[in-house]
C-alpha cells in the first residue's frame, strides 16, 4: 500500500527524475553502494539545475558515506541536503536529518543524533507517505534514545 502511495507522490511531481540520480537511488536502496557511488561521482553537481536533484544527490552521497563508515562526510552531505531542501516539498531534507542522526549515533554523539531526529520530525515537506514514514522512524529513534535503549 505504501508503495502505491509513493508512486502517486512521484508521479505528481512537476518534473521527471534525473536518470543517474534515479539509478543511484535504486542501487542505494538495494545496498549496492559502491556502484551508486561511481554513478554519483560521475555527475557534475553544478549541472543539476533542479534543487530537488541537488538535494537528493546530497542525500544519496550521505547514504553512501554512511555505508562506508565515513560518518563525518555523511553528516556534511546531510547538512547540505537539509540546507538545500528544507523548504521544498520533497522528503529529501527530512530523510537527510534522519540519516544524519544515524551517523551521529554511530560516532557516539547521542545529543547530536537527537537534534537531527527532532529536526526530521519538524520538516513537513508535502506531508506525503515518505514524510509520514520518516517522522515515524525519527520518533521511534527519539523514544529509544530517551529510554536508553540501544539502536
Amino acid at each position: 500500500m505504501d508503495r502505491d502511495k509513493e508512486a502517486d507522490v512521484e508521479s505528481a511531481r512537476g518534473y521527471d527524475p534525473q536518470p543517474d540520480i534515479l539509478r543511484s537511488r535504486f542501487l542505494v536502496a538495494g545496498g549496492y553502494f559502491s556502484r551508486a557511488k561511481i554513478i554519483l561521482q560521475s555527475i557534475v553537481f553544478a549541472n543539476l539545475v533542479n534543487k530537488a536533484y541537488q538535494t537528493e544527490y546530497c542525500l544519496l552521497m550521505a547514504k553512501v558515506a554512511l555505508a562506508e563508515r565515513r560518518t563525518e562526510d555523511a553528516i556534511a552531505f546531510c547538512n547540505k541536503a537539509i540546507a538545500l531542501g528544507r523548504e521544498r516539498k520533497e522528503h529529501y531534507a527530512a530523510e537527510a536529518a534522519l540519516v544524519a542522526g544515524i551517523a551521529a549515533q554511530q560516532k557516539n554523539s547521542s545529543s547530536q543524533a537527537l537534534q537531527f531526529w527532532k529536526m526530521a520530525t519538524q520538516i513537513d515537506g508535502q506531508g506525503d507517505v515518505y514524510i509520514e514514514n520518516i517522522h515515524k522512524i525519527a520518533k521511534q529513534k527519539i523514544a529509544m534514545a530517551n529510554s536508553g535503549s540501544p539502536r
Side-chain angles (χ1 to χ4, degrees):
M1 180 75 138
D2 277 352
R3 293 286 179 214
D4 290 339
K5 291 178 183 177
E6 290 173 2
D8 289 342
V9 169
E10 296 288 337
S11 68
R13 293 199 171 136
Y15 55 87
D16 291 329
Q18 200 277 357
D20 288 331
I21 291 176
L22 183 61
R23 265 192 290 283
S24 297
R25 181 194 309 170
F26 291 135
L27 289 168
V28 166
Y32 298 98
F33 297 103
S34 59
R35 290 176 58 192
K37 183 178 181 179
I38 291 167
I39 293 169
L40 290 166
Q41 289 178 330
S42 75
I43 295 171
V44 178
F45 185 81
N47 291 345
L48 298 175
V49 294
N50 184 321
K51 285 266 194 231
Y53 298 160
Q54 294 173 355
T55 307
E56 186 174 13
Y57 171 89
C58 291
L59 171 62
L60 292 170
M61 287 297 287
K63 289 180 174 184
V64 168
L66 186 62
E68 294 175 343
R69 299 262 187 231
R70 295 183 295 114
T71 56
E72 292 298 331
D73 290 341
I75 291 170
F77 276 115
C78 286
N79 280 328
K80 190 166 185 179
I82 292 164
L84 287 166
R86 189 175 195 135
E87 303 303 323
R88 294 192 51 84
K89 292 181 188 178
E90 298 89 10
H91 67 279
Y92 307 130
E95 187 172 353
L98 181 67
V99 170
I102 294 166
Q105 183 182 44
Q106 284 186 3
K107 66 176 202 153
N108 295 318
S109 180
S110 54
S111 63
Q112 187 181 31
L114 275 170
Q115 288 175 341
F116 279 120
W117 292 330
K118 288 176 183 174
M119 182 188 301
T121 67
Q122 296 165 353
I123 300 173
D124 290 328
Q126 62 189 28
D128 58 42
V129 65
Y130 291 114
I131 292 288
E132 291 170 9
N133 287 336
I134 292 164
H135 286 184
K136 179 181 168 186
I137 294 166
K139 287 175 184 175
Q140 289 171 343
K141 292 199 169 288
I142 291 167
M144 283 192 293
N146 286 336
S147 72
S149 297
R151 300 187 207 268

